[in-house]
Amino acid sequence: MPVIKENVYSDLTIETLCYQKTPQKDLTMSVFKPESWTAGDRRPAILFYFGGGFYKGNPSHFRMQAEYFAHLGMVTLTPDYRLTTLPGITVKDCLLDGKSALRYVIAHAEELGIDPKRIVVAGGSAGGAMASAAAMVTTLDERNESSVPCAMILYNPGIQFSSLGSSFDGLSEDDTININGRQEKIKDLKEKMPKFDDPELETLSPMEYIRPGLPVTLLIQGEADRAVSVESIKKFQRKMRAVGNDCELVVYPDRDHGFFNWNSSEEHICYYDTLNLVEDFLRRKQILNPGLRKKLLWE
């Protein structure tokens, strides 16, 4: 398998813009534009939020997916957000940053060449919490705000914070779990991750904001995930469907947390499979323009 180099697709333009200034840092996002892009286009778009438990990670997490879907004609965006390792920053601040990124893209859709009615939010793990909170959690909205995406693509998302707080119950501190293709000690995770058993934080869990009329949703989950339980994801789907929302769930047997990442295995099978799964979903929901699937340049 060849080494992945930056900007795999030569037909893309990649730009960086600032979507919000904060006391800690300027928050930026990379924008991936297809070759034929022009301002004033009305293209579908995806915001990919990176994972890392809210305490680590960076926007390169979904760079390969962002490049691929831009290659198919979409505008794709990978926003940065503040992490809880910064002084005074909480998970709520992270979620507010995620909402700000979506708000910015909708407000600047015309200059970004984006159709505001075809904006998708996506993310993995903490990034899945970011994406779903941006779409669902109304307490993050500004007054009279209407910044709602058309779809959510959620990879092993942390959609109920209280369940994340208890996800290590029954494990010793010397036990390890697979996180994004790496074995992490429970002791280290407990020291680094924010406390998810805060009752106030639970009021921001996307699970608590399920209601009719939410965006169409694709859930992608590993059955053997010990960071985000498959049962919590199945519960989310049941509750979404019970109120009439279109919510699909694909469970991968024997797969751990972050199994969809390129580096989760040497064969990269799940990376390719989930890429095709998402593309099929976007086409079936008429978000991605009709057309033939283009070859993955790293196949």
Side-chain angles (χ1 to χ4, degrees), residues 5-287:
K5 299 180 179 179
E6 289 213 352
N7 199 9
V8 171
Y9 295 104
S10 60
D11 58 346
L12 302 182
T13 300
I14 305 174
E15 302 173 357
T16 301
L17 58 82
C18 176
Y19 72 88
Q20 181 170 283
K21 293 182 179 292
T22 74
Q24 293 80 18
K25 60 188 289 190
D26 289 353
L27 299 179
T28 63
M29 65 173 77
S30 294
V31 184
F32 299 77
K33 300 175 180 178
E35 184 177 29
S36 56
W37 178 93
T38 59
D41 283 351
R42 294 181 66 84
R43 296 176 180 270
I46 308 182
L47 283 83
F48 285 104
Y49 295 92
F50 65 88
F54 299 104
Y55 71 92
K56 67 176 182 178
N58 62 70
S60 68
H61 182 179
F62 281 98
R63 180 183 176 111
M64 291 172 65
Q65 288 91 338
E67 289 194 1
Y68 177 69
F69 286 104
H71 185 59
L72 294 183
M74 303 182 78
V75 175
T76 57
L77 311 100
T78 55
D80 193 9
Y81 56 89
R82 291 171 292 176
L83 299 174
T84 57
T85 48
L86 290 171
I89 297 303
T90 66
V91 172
K92 183 176 181 179
D93 294 315
C94 302
L95 300 178
L96 286 168
D97 291 348
K99 185 68 177 185
S100 294
L102 174 61
R103 187 182 297 125
Y104 180 95
V105 171
I106 292 174
H108 296 82
E110 184 174 359
E111 64 195 74
L112 291 170
I114 289 172
D115 181 351
K117 294 183 178 180
R118 288 191 293 166
I119 296 175
V120 179
V121 291
S125 192
M130 297 281 291
S132 53
M136 299 174 64
V137 179
T138 53
T139 53
L140 300 177
D141 293 347
E142 295 181 346
R143 181 178 295 183
N144 300 322
E145 181 175 12
S146 180
S147 56
V148 180
C150 72
M152 297 186 287
I153 298 170
L154 309 177
Y155 305 78
N156 49 239
I159 38 78
Q160 186 163 28
F161 293 130
S162 60
S163 68
L164 300 179
S166 61
S167 60
F168 304 142
D169 290 354
L171 300 176
S172 76
E173 295 204 337
D174 289 329
D175 282 338
T176 62
I177 64 172
N178 189 307
I179 301 289
N180 298 339
R182 295 178 57 186
Q183 291 298 320
E184 301 267 8
K185 275 194 172 185
I186 300 300
K187 179 182 179 181
D188 295 337
L189 290 172
K190 286 183 175 180
E191 290 176 354
K192 296 173 184 176
M193 293 177 70
K195 304 301 181 185
F196 291 115
D197 54 2
D198 180 354
E200 184 178 353
L201 180 57
E202 184 61 14
T203 66
L204 298 174
S205 288
M207 185 78 83
E208 305 302 315
Y209 291 83
I210 294 174
R211 58 194 182 277
L214 289 173
V216 298
T217 302
L218 173 62
L219 300 163
I220 302 171
Q221 179 68 25
E223 188 177 37
D225 192 331
R226 290 198 288 177
V228 175
S229 75
V230 68
E231 291 307 318
S232 70
I233 302 304
K234 288 179 178 179
K235 177 183 176 182
F236 182 84
Q237 186 198 29
R238 287 195 304 269
K239 292 182 69 173
M240 287 281 280
R241 287 183 163 182
V243 295
N245 292 314
D246 182 346
C247 184
E248 301 179 16
L249 168 61
V250 179
V251 176
Y252 284 74
D254 304 319
R255 295 297 178 176
D256 291 319
H257 195 70
F259 70 96
F260 58 89
N261 291 308
W262 169 265
N263 64 351
S264 65
S265 70
E266 292 182 1
E267 300 83 11
H268 318 298
I269 294 171
C270 290
Y271 166 78
Y272 290 127
D273 194 74
T274 54
L275 200 67
N276 292 332
L277 178 69
V278 171
E279 181 181 343
D280 176 69
F281 174 80
L282 294 173
R283 293 196 188 281
R284 285 190 290 106
K285 302 305 178 184
Q286 299 183 328
I287 296 169

